[in-house]
Structures are given as C-alpha cells and as structure tokens.
Amino acid sequence: MTRSERLAEQLDWHWHKSLRPRLDGLTDEEYFWEPVRGCWSIRPRGTSTAPMSEGSGEWTLDYAFPGPVPAPVTTIAWRLGHIIVSCLAYRVEWYFGGRDVDAGAFAYAGTADEALKQLDEMYGRWHAGVRALSDADLDNPPATGPERFPMENRILHVNRELIHHGAEISLLRDLYHWQDGAVAGPPGIGAGPTPRT
C-alpha cells in the first residue's frame, strides 16, 4: 500500500466495520432526541433558542461564537451536521476541489435519511481524494485552504474527528435504546449485559 492508501484505509476500515453500520436504521426520533435540557440540535428555521444558528434551508444548526463553556450536549442531528460540514465538506472543498461550502449557506438535513445521504456523499468524496494523494502531496501543506500543516497531518486530524464523533453518536444511540432499562433496539445497538431489574 502507498502512504495515502494506508491513511485512507485507517478510516475506511472504521467506517465500514464500526461507524456506518451503527447508523443503519437511524430514525427521525433518535436523530432529534434530546437526552438533557438545553441541547443544541438542528431545528426548523426560526425556532432555535441558541445564541446563533446557521444554514440556508428550512433547518438550521444551533451554535455560538465563541462557544459556551461548558459546551452544551448536542443531538445526533447536530453531530452529524458537524461531521458532514465542518469535518468533511470544508476539507473536500479546500483540498480536493469540491463544491464551495459555507456553513451559513448549507442546507442541513431535516430527516435522518437525508443526513445519512449527505454523510455518505461527503465521506465518499473525502475517501477518494485521500486515496489519490501522492507522497509529495502528503509531505506538503494543502495547496488551497486556510490550513498550513502537512497534508498527512490534516488527514490524521479528520480521521480522529470522524472516529471520536462517530463514537459519540453511537453512545447516544445506545442511551436512546436503553432508556429506563428498555429492551435493546436494532441489531448492533445496545449490545451488552442485560440491565438488572
């Protein structure tokens, strides 16, 4: 394998074996589930109570700049929106000539199915771009975009982002399906010991 193939494979193995299967069967109820008060989410335009919201369509993403401390808990919808736009779409645009992306002009998904389609599209573009890089590409900063670290560093950063945010989403799915000792949900969700009664 080339270096770029090894870097791509690190995330792609996780994507196919762990993260993407854990998102199968995601319902709109789970997508928008707020486990605590004050969550940030994706909401119908004009209904957010966050300091700011961004997005161009019928749905907007809650946020603030600078971010509050401590940061609010975020829903699966918010986390998927963050992965799609901030982790993948921006970098596909900067590094691989993708379409111009602006979080303020992005049409955030109002359903789980739509969000997963956006996720699959952006992940596919990211993965193809990484696999096509040469060793020289990896050793140098990206030719475009605001980041001046070597491209290999940027790829490892995105890998970490998707792995850790994917784990957060998986945990939220587990919590949703095990609320109040409920029976486990879809296959692969909530696997573990039976709660004591």
Side-chain angles (χ1 to χ4, degrees):
M1 280 188 180
T2 65
R3 282 169 60 201
S4 63
E5 288 171 338
R6 286 195 300 272
L7 289 166
E9 189 63 24
Q10 178 194 40
L11 183 57
D12 204 47
W13 185 93
H14 175 72
W15 173 264
H16 288 289
K17 299 293 184 185
S18 182
L19 175 56
R20 192 57 183 84
R22 289 296 307 270
L23 298 176
D24 288 345
L26 182 69
T27 66
D28 290 348
E29 187 175 340
E30 289 176 88
Y31 181 64
F32 290 116
W33 179 57
E34 297 191 21
V36 297
R37 289 188 302 276
C39 283
W40 277 2
S41 191
I42 289 175
R43 304 183 188 282
R45 177 171 296 283
T47 65
S48 175
T49 59
M52 305 168 87
S53 60
E54 60 187 11
S56 65
E58 297 176 18
W59 298 85
T60 61
L61 180 127
D62 297 335
Y63 86 108
F65 185 82
V69 177
V73 172
T74 56
T75 63
I76 291 174
W78 193 98
R79 289 166 200 246
L80 283 174
H82 175 68
I83 290 173
I84 292 161
V85 176
S86 299
C87 299
L88 292 172
Y90 279 150
R91 289 172 174 88
V92 166
E93 174 201 349
W94 295 338
Y95 309 151
F96 307 129
R99 66 175 185 254
D100 188 24
V101 176
D102 178 336
F106 188 80
Y108 287 94
T111 68
D113 284 346
E114 184 183 355
L116 293 179
K117 287 176 187 169
Q118 290 176 341
L119 178 68
D120 289 341
E121 177 191 353
M122 285 303 163
Y123 177 75
R125 290 180 179 189
W126 171 258
H127 182 72
V130 171
R131 289 187 81 87
L133 294 170
S134 68
D135 284 355
D137 293 329
L138 294 172
D139 290 336
N140 293 296
T144 58
E147 299 172 329
R148 303 288 18 130
F149 296 99
M151 188 65 182
E152 183 171 18
N153 173 282
R154 300 295 77 209
I155 293 166
L156 290 169
H157 173 71
V158 171
N159 287 2
R160 288 188 300 268
E161 284 282 294
L162 264 68
I163 290 167
H164 94 257
H165 286 305
E168 293 168 342
I169 291 169
S170 297
L171 175 60
L172 281 172
R173 289 204 79 188
D174 286 344
L175 292 171
Y176 175 85
H177 284 282
W178 283 94
Q179 292 176 75
D180 302 320
V183 176
I189 304 299
T194 305
R196 292 182 181 181
T197 55

